[in-house]
Amino acid sequence: AKDPMRVLVTGAAGQIGYALVPMIARGVMLGADQPVILHMLDIPPAAEALNGVKMELVDAAFPLLKGVVATTDVVEACTGVNVAVMVGGFPRKEGMERKDVMSKNVSIYKAQASALEAHAAPNCKVLVVANPANTNALILKEFAPSIPEKNVTCLTRLDHNRALGQISERLGVQVSDVKNVIIWGNHSSTQYPDVNHATVKTSTGEKPVRELVADDEWLNGEFITTVQQRGAAIIKARKLSSALSAASSACDHIRDWVLGTPEGTFVSMGVYSDGSYGVPSGLIYSFPVTCSGGEWKIVQGLPIDEFSRKKLDATAQELSEEKSLAYSCLE
Ligand code: NAX
């Protein structure tokens, strides 16, 4: 039998946490043969609720769940973890300035970076979910210099999955037959959902999405804005932000990273830019990646047309501005 892996979920008393921890305990994230020990962190006002989540995990009698740590102590939460899913953060409240929200999150991510660096297992893989996800991940990376930069990522898989879902709905095909959409850039409304390399499996082989949809106006317009604005549409409908889809996508992100992507399939991950596709290095930017042996690699050599180029640059520009704002909060 495999040794258990320790998985940290911060913000575990929140709504994504509530959807995510049972998925992890059922093996959705790391595999049906991988025992896990859950480490759940939240802040003192949520301590009682967090304990309630722990009680439910016990009550669910998950065979793979070998232990639960529920704590408000960052060091205890981070100790020995192999995977860290950072869902906790400071939400933007009505009337708050962008800079004030950034400043709160910068201090949270700076502190948690230090705790992970000092106490996590070597080679711990980090996924930042909390917004602003790319920039929180960048701060975490900067303040945990001994964690390899390739181990710090942010979640854009939800956006990726939303794009797959929209294509599947439009064409009336199974979502599992659609692949290789790309989310470029920031997990924000400037992200660029790109279908230029996406295909659909049909009875006569793989066909390009552009050819099957045969409506460039929709693909270059409404499709893009629907994916970009999907989070807002969920809030409008549910009066709460996306939670089950975010949790499921976080599992997809870690599972593919650890266990590998299928041959010929790429997925979107926010990773530390190396300058690929003319994206400035030093940003956490969402790229198409393939994973194998526990490492991601940016898919190289995809042709980028002029329409796409502008969109890749615009979202990079926004991330550079976020980075400056974050750094101004450190001064
Ligand atoms: P909730 O407000 O329900 O939960 C957040 C939890 O974090 C709360 O329990 C809170 O007490 C806790 N928390 C706050 N500060 C903390 C700290 N310093 N350490 C540990 N825990 C702390 O929000 P929820 O709906 O679960 O969303 C969580 C985050 O995910 C938000 O930042 C949200 O914007 C972000 N999202 C990111 C998505 C993505 O695709 N990257 C999509 C979904 C979601 O909107």
Side-chain angles (χ1 to χ4, degrees):
K2 291 181 167 180
D3 287 338
M5 283 176 75
R6 293 180 182 269
V7 182
L8 167 65
V9 176
T10 72
Q15 46 147 10
I16 294 175
Y18 191 73
L20 179 58
V21 292
M23 292 182 190
I24 298 171
R26 274 210 173 270
V28 175
M29 176 178 277
L30 292 164
D33 63 344
Q34 177 60 62
V36 291
I37 297 173
L38 270 167
H39 287 218
M40 302 194 297
L41 176 71
D42 214 295
I43 49 177
E48 200 180 346
L50 186 67
N51 196 46
V53 178
K54 179 176 176 176
M55 287 159 67
E56 285 205 67
L57 288 169
V58 170
D59 294 350
F62 295 110
L64 285 173
L65 188 59
K66 303 303 176 190
V68 181
V69 176
T71 182
T72 57
D73 181 84
V74 185
V75 169
E76 187 186 5
C78 291
T79 299
V81 298
N82 307 102
V83 172
V85 187
M86 315 300 285
V87 184
F90 195 91
R92 184 159 185 178
K93 293 181 184 151
E94 196 94 23
M96 255 182 107
E97 293 291 333
R98 243 165 72 86
K99 169 139 193 182
D100 297 332
V101 189
M102 184 66 83
S103 171
K104 299 261 189 210
N105 283 300
V106 162
S107 49
I108 292 171
Y109 278 81
K110 196 177 155 189
Q112 296 186 353
S114 305
L116 277 174
E117 165 157 67
H119 302 286
N123 211 29
C124 173
K125 288 180 158 61
V126 182
L127 166 61
V128 177
V129 176
N131 282 313
N134 301 55
T135 300
N136 286 342
L138 184 67
I139 293 297
L140 194 153
K141 183 220 148 271
E142 296 289 326
F143 288 92
S146 73
I147 298 180
E149 64 196 27
K150 66 176 183 353
N151 286 27
V152 181
T153 65
C154 82
L155 187 72
T156 55
R157 182 63 173 268
L158 173 56
D159 308 292
H160 179 102
N161 287 342
R162 284 167 172 164
L164 295 176
Q166 288 302 307
I167 298 296
S168 142
E169 294 277 291
R170 167 81 184 206
L171 290 172
V173 299
Q174 295 299 323
V175 73
S176 54
D177 288 337
V178 188
K179 67 175 189 180
N180 296 354
V181 298
I182 302 166
I183 303 298
W184 298 97
N186 200 359
H187 168 70
S188 76
S189 58
T190 68
Q191 65 175 253
Y192 171 43
D194 175 2
V195 295
N196 290 332
H197 313 282
T199 61
V200 178
K201 189 162 110 195
T202 73
S203 53
T204 55
E206 277 180 7
K207 297 258 163 67
V209 162
R210 268 208 192 269
E211 184 184 313
L212 292 174
V213 172
D215 183 347
D216 285 339
E217 196 182 312
W218 183 77
L219 284 172
N220 296 344
E222 198 183 326
F223 163 75
I224 293 176
T225 49
T226 301
V227 175
Q228 288 170 335
Q229 305 294 335
R230 189 68 162 181
I234 300 290
I235 292 173
K236 190 156 178 282
R238 235 169 61 82
K239 320 286 177 252
L240 285 169
S241 56
S242 316
L244 85 84
S245 54
S248 180
S249 300
C251 290
D252 288 345
H253 176 113
I254 297 289
R255 190 200 55 235
D256 285 348
W257 189 4
V258 173
L259 300 175
T261 44
E263 186 68 40
T265 298
F266 47 81
V267 295
S268 304
M269 282 172 68
V271 299
Y272 195 64
S273 168
D274 62 354
S276 291
Y277 295 100
V279 172
S281 52
L283 297 175
I284 300 269
Y285 188 98
S286 179
F287 285 99
V289 302
T290 54
C291 304
S292 112
E295 305 221 345
W296 54 265
K297 215 167 75 201
I298 297 174
V299 177
Q300 297 295 336
L302 298 171
I304 304 295
D305 64 17
E306 206 175 314
F307 178 86
S308 301
R309 182 74 259 163
K310 289 205 180 92
K311 296 215 171 313
L312 262 72
D313 292 344
T315 190
Q317 180 59 36
E318 184 185 51
L319 281 170
S320 299
E321 286 164 16
E322 268 188 29
K323 181 177 178 176
S324 307
L325 183 63
Y327 273 82
S328 75
C329 297
L330 290 165
E331 283 156 12

